[in-house]
Amino acid sequence: MLRLGLTITNNPPMITVNRLVKDFGYNRVIDGIDATVSTGEVVVLIGASGSGKSTFLRCLNGLETLTSGEILIESTPLERNSKSLKQIRRQVGMVFQQFNLFPHLTVLENIIEAPVHVLHQPKKQVIKVAQELLAKVGLSDKQNCYPGTLSGGQCQRVAIARALAMHPKIMLFDEPTSALDPELVGEVLTVMKQLAEDGMTMVVVTHEMGFAREVADRVIFIDEGKIVEEGPPAQIFGNPQEKRTQAFLGRLS
Ligand code: ADP
Ligand code: MG
């Protein structure tokens, strides 16, 4: 997978968003978003609290009914209540700020739970995959531990391995390091960076601008449910064109 700048946008689209609108009651939270994410592309979403970032990710994962507009995963529309929704949702992994691990299951049991009980894959095979994923996230020695005995950074790495065990085509991250102590942020970002280098299509909401600069192919700034500005990280951080982008980035530094 080529990960060099603009070449990635020549790949076929993995996610297509057309005129997406999402209202909660009278509150228009997503206000006409058009976006395409290419296969293997890493997009970082930035924006103030309440600007609609989480809602947008939840729409991409089929967790919200859309008020209007459409979302395609490859060429299949995400349609609420359609038979294909469940199947497509399995192809879209999501990692949250709160790791949501099952506290009564070991690390290994957390990872194999959905592949065994939802996908009905053979347990032996799933365990092998889970162990490979644990090695990938640097937690081979923790497979029999319970989440309560792990650090936040370790829990988040387990959550990433658990999402990957479903063999997703897309990984969505919603502020995956925001709940972590500062010294634990790096180990999670390292795993995400590796995933990006492996060619995963990723949409990441984060305040980690260092990660965005280094790993993102494209940065999208959202304000009040609209895309205000987007471009390569060097452009968005180095030379933002829009006043609202400048103001947002100015507040961070
Ligand atoms: P962000 O992730 O950028 O902080 P959110 O997508 O969480 O923003 O929220 C955007 C707006 O949508 C906020 O005003 C929030 O209160 C509202 N909102 C989000 N989820 C719901 C919901 N389930 N019901 C009603 N309003 C919601
Ligand atoms: Mg949010």
Side-chain angles (χ1 to χ4, degrees), residues 13-253:
M14 177 60 80
I15 306 171
T16 308
V17 179
N18 292 322
R19 301 173 308 282
L20 178 64
V21 173
K22 175 63 185 173
D23 296 339
F24 288 112
Y26 293 111
N27 188 8
R28 178 144 295 182
V29 173
I30 301 293
D31 191 4
I33 286 188
D34 288 295
T36 304
V37 180
S38 301
T39 303
E41 192 179 16
V42 178
V43 171
V44 166
L45 291 182
I46 60 172
S49 175
S51 57
K53 306 179 299 296
S54 293
T55 303
F56 182 64
L57 285 193
R58 291 170 57 80
C59 288
L60 295 183
N61 196 24
L63 287 167
E64 301 284 357
T65 51
L66 312 182
T67 302
S68 63
E70 65 172 0
I71 295 172
L72 310 177
I73 303 297
E74 293 184 310
S75 50
T76 311
L78 264 186
E79 274 165 15
R80 200 75 183 173
N81 302 323
S82 77
K83 277 198 190 134
S84 60
L85 179 67
K86 251 190 184 167
Q87 215 175 348
I88 298 174
R89 282 201 50 202
R90 287 177 194 149
Q91 301 173 354
V92 185
M94 188 142 171
V95 173
F96 302 89
Q97 184 173 335
Q98 305 300 338
F99 336 112
N100 305 326
L101 298 176
F102 300 114
H104 60 291
L105 298 182
T106 66
V107 163
L108 190 74
E109 288 165 347
N110 263 280
I111 297 173
I112 68 171
E113 164 72 21
V116 170
H117 293 108
V118 180
L119 300 183
H120 306 291
Q121 292 173 346
K123 193 166 175 180
K124 222 172 141 183
Q125 176 195 320
V126 174
I127 289 176
K128 189 166 170 280
V129 170
Q131 286 169 334
E132 286 164 12
L133 289 169
L134 279 173
K136 206 179 169 85
V137 301
L139 292 172
S140 291
D141 55 331
K142 300 293 185 192
Q143 70 169 43
N144 296 318
C145 295
Y146 286 88
T149 67
L150 303 182
S151 73
Q154 290 169 333
C155 284
Q156 194 60 299
R157 287 186 280 151
V158 174
I160 293 171
R162 183 177 59 173
L164 292 174
M166 298 295 276
H167 301 292
K169 292 180 173 171
I170 301 166
M171 284 284 283
L172 308 176
F173 292 87
D174 195 355
E175 302 199 28
T177 61
S178 293
L180 301 179
D181 291 335
E183 72 272 19
L184 303 178
V185 168
E187 65 193 58
V188 173
L189 295 179
T190 299
V191 167
M192 292 168 62
K193 188 177 164 197
Q194 183 62 53
L195 200 55
E197 283 169 3
D198 291 347
M200 179 63 78
T201 306
M202 294 166 53
V203 181
V204 182
V205 175
T206 186
H207 301 295
E208 295 292 333
M209 297 302 158
F211 175 85
R213 273 177 192 274
E214 195 184 348
V215 182
D217 296 295
R218 184 156 47 113
V219 175
I220 297 180
F221 172 60
I222 294 186
D223 193 36
E224 296 183 345
K226 287 191 169 81
I227 294 179
V228 172
E229 187 165 359
E230 61 180 303
Q235 181 188 315
I236 298 296
F237 296 122
N239 189 21
Q241 300 298 306
E242 299 292 330
K243 279 222 155 53
R244 281 188 282 173
T245 319
Q246 291 164 2
F248 174 75
L249 292 172
R251 281 197 297 276
L252 295 182
S253 53

